[in-house]
Amino acid sequence: MDWSIQDIVRIAGTTSRTLRHYDDIGLLKPSRTGHNGYRYYNQAALVQLQRILLLRGLGLGLPVISQVLDDETDAAQALTGHLEWLKQEQDRLARQIASVTQTIEAVKGGGEIMAEDMFNGFDHTQYKDEVEERWGKDAYAKGDSWWRGMSTEEKAAWKQRSQQLGKDWIAAATGGIAPDSAEAQDIARRHVEWLTGIPGTPASDARGQADGKGNADVKAYVTGLGEMYVTDPRFAKNYGGAEGAGFVRDALKIYAAENL
């Protein structure tokens, strides 16, 4: 069984122009072309399209999506991993919705805000295993202790600072400036300062060391994170997608080379 391009437009919510573009760049080829020139897509093509749309939803650009599809040829395995991430996001968003709804009701009704519930769904514990694998158990323990020791106001201020940093990066990346410009390098400086303020990270542990070894650790850490921002969709979306993350990576690499 196959579906015409009009069928795909209807059921997938995309456009025929988009599908033709995907065909032109080799991202999604129709399974066959009719004698009238119409494109038709079989089941395998629909699975490919679903993966493309999922990755687009994470903010990835088409060149990166093409690379991901080439690297992960087992569609079932790739979609299984993506489904697990979506379930985690669904749970996190559900908790955020519940906590924000509770806050709105309390504010409107003049009731008491439950501080312990206000940031449910905003926690970082879901990344515990990943942090420990990348940087060790001590790194997670220090960061977790630091976060739990902060007041509600301090947590809110830290989140606001993080969000503002992301907004400034996106504005710079889309503003036509170069990664080595004074404006971009100032954001890079703030970014590194932000990283050194998080206990347990190599950047924080090396801060204040006088033997020079720490700076090498910070440099490697900062440049490594820059690469991760590009390759990991969870990070890339904070900077407007893969292209924005690439700008951040380049700016951090320049800053690290000149200052760390």
Side-chain angles (χ1 to χ4, degrees), residues 7 9 17 34 44-45 51 79 143 193 226 232 239 243:
D7 292 331
V9 167
R17 179 180 180 181
R51 294 181 64 191
L79 286 171
E193 290 177 352
D232 192 323
Y239 307 110
E243 292 184 7

Side-chain angles (χ1 to χ4, degrees), residues 132-153:
E132 289 183 347
E133 182 180 351
R134 289 182 183 275
W135 296 296
K137 292 185 177 181
D138 185 58
Y140 178 82
K142 288 181 179 178
D144 183 63
S145 176
W146 162 75
W147 181 256
R148 295 184 185 279
M150 294 170 68
S151 67
T152 299
E153 293 77 14

Side-chain angles (χ1 to χ4, degrees), residues 8-22:
I8 301 301
V9 167
R10 176 177 54 82
I11 63 179
T14 186
T15 66
S16 58
R17 179 180 180 181
T18 295
L19 293 173
R20 287 194 296 269
H21 179 60
Y22 288 171

Side-chain angles (χ1 to χ4, degrees), residues 30-211:
S31 54
R32 69 180 179 90
T33 302
H35 66 276
N36 53 7
Y38 287 179
R39 294 170 171 84
Y40 292 87
Y41 300 82
N42 60 13
Q43 179 173 301
L46 261 64
V47 172
Q48 182 90 331
L49 177 60
Q50 184 184 55
R51 294 181 64 191
I52 292 170
L53 296 179
L54 285 169
L55 293 169
R56 286 291 283 170
L58 293 175
L60 296 184
L62 296 182
V64 177
I65 291 176
S66 179
Q67 185 62 52
V68 170
L69 295 176
D70 289 341
D71 293 342
E72 299 179 354
T73 56
D74 188 329
Q77 181 178 347
L79 286 171
T80 298
H82 203 117
L83 178 61
E84 182 61 31
W85 182 85
L86 287 172
K87 287 180 177 178
Q88 293 175 1
E89 281 295 284
Q90 181 183 46
D91 176 68
R92 183 180 65 82
L93 290 172
R95 288 185 287 132
Q96 283 189 352
I97 290 171
S99 65
V100 173
T101 299
Q102 184 180 48
T103 300
I104 292 173
E105 292 175 350
V107 171
K108 285 185 175 180
E112 181 180 355
I113 293 176
M114 301 299 293
E116 292 299 323
D117 297 330
M118 283 184 66
F119 296 100
N120 188 19
F122 295 87
D123 63 275
H124 63 289
T125 56
Q126 59 182 307
Y127 303 115
K128 179 177 184 293
D129 293 341
E130 183 174 351
V131 171
E132 289 183 347
E133 182 180 351
R134 289 182 183 275
W135 296 296
K137 292 185 177 181
D138 185 58
Y140 178 82
K142 288 181 179 178
D144 183 63
S145 176
W146 162 75
W147 181 256
R148 295 184 185 279
M150 294 170 68
S151 67
T152 299
E153 293 77 14
E154 289 172 331
K155 288 179 179 177
W158 190 87
K159 291 176 183 296
Q160 177 61 38
R161 181 185 179 189
S162 303
Q163 292 170 356
Q164 186 60 54
L165 194 59
K167 291 178 181 178
D168 291 344
W169 274 124
I170 292 174
T174 58
I177 66 173
D180 62 351
S181 67
E183 182 179 350
Q185 287 302 291
D186 184 62
I187 303 175
R189 174 189 58 78
R190 288 165 46 207
H191 196 100
V192 172
E193 290 177 352
W194 172 69
L195 289 172
T196 59
I198 305 175
T201 67
S204 175
D205 292 344
R207 182 175 55 180
Q209 291 186 15
D211 59 6

